[in-house]
Structures are given as structure tokens and as C-alpha cells.
Amino acid sequence: MKLFLKKIHKLNQGYTIIETMISISIFLVVVMTGMGVLLNANAVHRKSQTMRSILDNLSFVMEDMSRNLRTGYNYHCFVSGDTIPSSDNSPIMDDPKSCASGWGIAFEYAFGDPDPGVTNDQWVYYIDGTGKLFKSTQGPYILSNFVQLTPNEVVVNTTASSFSILGAEAPVGNQQQPFVTIRLVGTVTINNIATPFSLQTSVSQRLIDV
């Protein structure tokens, strides 16, 4: 009977300080683990959203180039030895020029002035040495006319990316339409983590040259 009463008395005393500390420690471990998982999931979600936004931007850039090239004409490819801005203020950009792997392209906009003497109305897309994509609607002669199309998080691989033009010099009356292939390969860096991307599209000139 005395032993039973002693046990009842001990139970009425509640938890000891050690039991309380152990319980709090276990609770903190569980909470910290859950917080870590939650923060990691949130970081992954933010990265995914940022990546999605950047890839949507790149897709829009590809669509913009495709649409304008499709309705343009007199495609001129920039190859090794050409420069941006061009030091030759002549209608050379009106001269069609094909290439297998160029770093830029100039062409006459659909609603531009077809006069070869007008040298500041060609549209130009090009990839510079730092891996950024630029666009100008006023020819290739003034660097300040160019605007950057790709965000700073995007670096285009200048070796793997290219503008390819087939049949640009084809004479009037032939049955082959000029054909342009654009390939953009590079990386998107977010929070010091680089994610590769690869985009490619092909465009056939809509203007009939027969």
C-alpha cells in the first residue's frame, strides 16, 4: 500500500526538468527539419518560376526573329571578319549572302525602304563576344542603335550558336526560297547554378522571288 501511494505521489509531481528538456529538444529538431524542407521547397519553386520566365523570354525572342525574317528579304550573313558596328557605311547589307554558320544576320524589313542607297533601315540580329543577343532596326553602323534581347542571366554559347542561311543569293526566277536556321545554345545561371538550354528554329522567306 505504501509503495502504491508513493507511485501515485510521483505521478502527481508531473514531468521532471530532464524530461521537459528532452521533449523540447525533440520538438525543435522536428520544427527545424520541417522549416528546412519548407525553405528548400520555396527556393526550388522560385528558381523554377525564374527559369520559366527566362525560357519564355527566349522563346519570345526566337518567335520575334522568326516572324520578322519570314516577311523580310535580302538576307545577309555575318561571318568571321565582319564587324559590328560596321565601318563601311554602304549598301553592302542589301547584298544577299549565304553562310553555313554565321554569328549575325541583316535583312530588309518587310516595310522598309527597298532602295539600295538607304543604308540605315536594315534589321540586324547578332550575338556578341560576351554571349548576348542584340537587335537593331536601323542598320549595323551605330552601336547605340542596338538593344539587348537576352537577360543578363543568359549566356549564349558563341561557338555552338549560329545563324545559317541557304539560297540567299539565288537569282530571281529560281524555285528555291531562301532558308534561315537559327540555333541558340547556352546556359541560364540562377543563384550560381547554371542550367543549359538549346533552342532552334527554321524560317523560309515568305516573299516569293520567282
Side-chain angles (χ1 to χ4, degrees):
M1 187 67 179
K2 289 182 179 180
L3 181 61
F4 176 75
L5 292 175
K6 184 182 291 187
K7 289 184 178 180
I8 294 296
H9 179 69
K10 184 177 181 180
L11 291 175
N12 290 335
Q13 289 179 339
Y15 294 107
T16 65
I17 185 66
I18 295 178
E19 292 172 333
T20 303
M21 292 177 64
I22 292 174
S23 300
I24 293 175
S25 299
I26 294 174
F27 175 76
L28 289 176
V29 169
V30 173
V31 170
M32 293 302 294
T33 302
M35 286 295 294
V37 172
L38 180 61
L39 291 174
N40 185 61
N42 189 43
V44 171
H45 176 71
R46 289 201 309 269
K47 178 186 175 183
S48 176
Q49 291 293 99
T50 304
M51 180 67 68
R52 179 65 181 176
S53 176
I54 292 175
L55 290 179
D56 285 346
N57 175 273
L58 288 173
S59 297
F60 176 80
V61 168
M62 291 289 280
E63 177 63 25
D64 176 73
M65 289 192 292
S66 300
R67 182 173 59 252
N68 293 320
L69 284 166
R70 186 178 296 112
T71 56
Y73 58 97
N74 285 356
Y75 304 138
H76 181 96
C77 188
F78 290 91
V79 295
S80 178
D82 295 329
T83 59
I84 293 287
S86 174
S87 58
D88 182 12
N89 191 22
S90 70
I92 187 173
M93 294 304 157
D94 279 332
D95 297 335
K97 179 181 177 181
S98 299
C99 70
S101 181
W103 52 269
I105 184 171
F107 61 98
E108 282 290 342
Y109 180 53
F111 303 105
D113 193 333
D115 185 354
V118 179
T119 61
N120 63 347
D121 67 330
Q122 289 89 3
W123 283 35
V124 182
Y125 295 100
Y126 86 99
I127 304 168
D128 75 347
T130 65
K132 304 301 180 186
L133 181 65
F134 289 86
K135 171 186 177 181
S136 170
T137 59
Q138 302 177 54
Y141 306 109
I142 302 176
L143 193 60
S144 60
N145 289 336
F146 285 88
V147 295
Q148 183 175 321
L149 297 180
T150 51
N152 292 328
E153 292 85 356
V154 174
V155 176
V156 179
N157 187 319
T158 56
T159 303
S161 304
S162 64
F163 295 87
S164 302
I165 305 177
L166 177 65
E169 303 94 339
V172 176
N174 78 310
Q175 299 298 317
Q176 179 181 353
Q177 292 298 103
F179 190 78
V180 180
T181 299
I182 307 169
R183 178 174 171 80
L184 295 180
V185 179
T187 56
V188 179
T189 303
I190 302 173
N191 296 331
N192 298 320
I193 299 176
T195 303
F197 70 88
S198 180
L199 299 173
Q200 180 171 317
T201 188
S202 297
V203 180
S204 178
Q205 179 181 291
R206 180 178 295 175
L207 180 66
I208 303 298
D209 65 349
V210 298

